[in-house]
Amino acid sequence: MRVIDRTILSIAPIRTSLLGVCGFLTVLFTLVEPEASQGLGLAARLGFWVLHIGIALGAILLVSVVIRHCHLSRWPLWILVLVTGVLGAVISAPLYLAIEVLLPELIPTDTPDSFWDRYAMQGHWQAVVSEFFQVLPLVLVGWGTVNLPLMLNKPTLLEPPLPPEPPTGEQTEQDAMQARRDAFFASLPEVVGQDLIAISSDLHYLNVYTTLGKAMILGSLKYYAEAFAEEGLQIHRSHWIAKAHVERLCLSGKDAFCLMSTGLRVPVSRSNRKLAKTYFGSLATPKKAPAIKIAS
């Protein structure tokens, strides 16, 4: 598959990038020994940061799933990233305080020497507020780093994933689906064209594969899979494929994927194997093509 300028390369999925950033920050803070973990041994520092960064990661993933189902797609990307980070910190703060109570051996017991330390001693909600403002920079830096390539490339935002409205005399259901398709294609860079190969969700983003390249945009897979129901199939909760570009259905033990005309391998979920076999089970073996695998 050719790489086209102005598209998002996305060498690693957002979820993988997030794990990579969290792993890097864990190692960095364990070795650098910032104030929050001063006085702890190496093993205790590692446990401290694995636990804290893991909680932040889980909170961000939870917020991302919620945002994907909300009507926020019209917002600028930097605002979405900021909102996700702030809400992730809101969820993380009380959990961090709970860790201090349950695992006091992981928390240094230094004398309060900062404004936030002294403020936290005034009461329970003050402790939560203090924890929130102390963790917020870490969450924003990590989440902003993961989304930096997208913000620099300024991807186009899709229409909000609203549920389809009942057809009326002026607009039939077919017209509504066509409107979704038109909005989808309008959001893609012209250089990738409109000959779709596959669409894959990655948190609240969509990776769109065409015969000319790849782009990443914001949107809901289910919303647009319904619009392209005639042209393709959703063979996985995270993947939609174009029927015209399926070269072969490959089933081997636990592995199942559709090999596309560009060499892209799109996973088929266990619950959709029968459906995929009905459509593509009789396809002949394709010509040799480079295999490009999409993660499940």
Side-chain angles (χ1 to χ4, degrees):
M1 180 175 293
R2 291 191 294 148
V3 176
I4 305 295
D5 293 338
R6 291 173 49 210
T7 62
I8 306 301
L9 301 182
S10 298
I11 297 174
I14 292 295
R15 286 169 290 187
T16 303
S17 300
L18 185 57
L19 288 173
V21 169
C22 290
F24 172 77
L25 291 177
T26 298
V27 173
L28 176 64
F29 292 153
T30 298
L31 297 177
V32 172
E33 195 176 353
E35 182 181 358
S37 58
Q38 280 183 358
L40 297 176
L42 179 62
R45 285 203 311 274
L46 179 62
F48 178 91
W49 288 113
V50 165
L51 195 56
H52 279 65
I53 293 178
I55 287 175
L57 168 61
I60 285 177
L61 292 178
L62 176 61
V63 173
S64 298
V65 171
V66 173
I67 284 181
R68 184 171 59 185
H69 296 288
C70 294
H71 311 325
L72 304 180
S73 296
R74 290 182 182 274
W75 292 11
L77 180 59
W78 71 270
I79 292 182
L80 287 174
V81 172
L82 179 63
V83 169
T84 303
V86 170
L87 293 180
V90 168
I91 295 174
S92 301
L95 296 178
Y96 290 153
L97 291 177
I99 292 175
E100 294 183 13
V101 175
L102 298 175
L103 299 172
E105 64 274 9
L106 282 181
I107 308 300
T109 56
D110 294 336
T111 302
D113 59 356
S114 69
F115 167 78
W116 289 119
D117 290 339
R118 293 188 294 271
Y119 184 74
M121 298 179 66
Q122 298 179 18
H124 295 299
W125 72 265
Q126 289 92 339
V128 174
V129 171
S130 172
E131 194 72 29
F132 166 76
F133 280 105
Q134 292 183 78
V135 74
L136 181 61
L138 173 64
V139 175
L140 289 180
V141 168
W143 185 233
T145 301
V146 171
N147 287 274
L148 187 60
L150 288 173
M151 290 189 285
L152 294 177
N153 283 272
K154 299 179 181 179
T156 305
L157 304 187
L158 290 170
E159 293 295 317
L162 298 172
E165 298 179 357
T168 65
E170 297 180 356
Q171 184 183 41
T172 65
E173 184 175 353
Q174 184 176 1
D175 293 333
M177 293 299 105
Q178 184 60 50
R180 291 192 198 184
R181 291 192 289 269
D182 292 343
F184 179 86
F185 286 130
S187 69
L188 293 178
E190 293 182 3
V191 289
V192 301
Q194 298 185 1
D195 192 359
L196 297 178
I197 298 292
I199 306 172
S200 299
S201 66
D202 187 3
L203 295 182
H204 46 284
Y205 300 105
L206 294 177
N207 288 304
V208 181
Y209 300 85
T210 71
T211 53
L212 296 179
K214 173 187 177 184
M216 179 176 278
I217 51 182
L218 290 170
S220 165
L221 179 63
K222 180 180 178 181
Y223 184 70
Y224 290 98
E226 292 175 354
F228 291 103
E230 295 184 1
E231 293 89 346
L233 289 175
Q234 185 170 348
I235 57 173
H236 189 285
R237 61 183 175 81
S238 300
H239 306 292
W240 173 95
I241 57 172
K243 298 175 186 175
H245 286 285
V246 176
E247 292 282 348
R248 184 187 181 190
L249 173 65
C250 301
L251 301 173
S252 177
K254 295 182 179 180
D255 294 328
F257 62 89
C258 284
L259 182 62
M260 310 305 289
S261 59
T262 56
L264 192 69
R265 295 195 300 175
V266 184
V268 179
S269 66
R270 184 176 298 275
S271 60
N272 285 299
R273 286 190 182 188
K274 185 175 181 180
L275 176 63
K277 195 171 183 178
T278 300
Y279 277 91
F280 313 120
S282 61
L283 292 178
T285 302
K287 296 179 180 179
K288 187 176 181 180
I292 308 172
K293 186 178 181 180
I294 300 180
S296 300

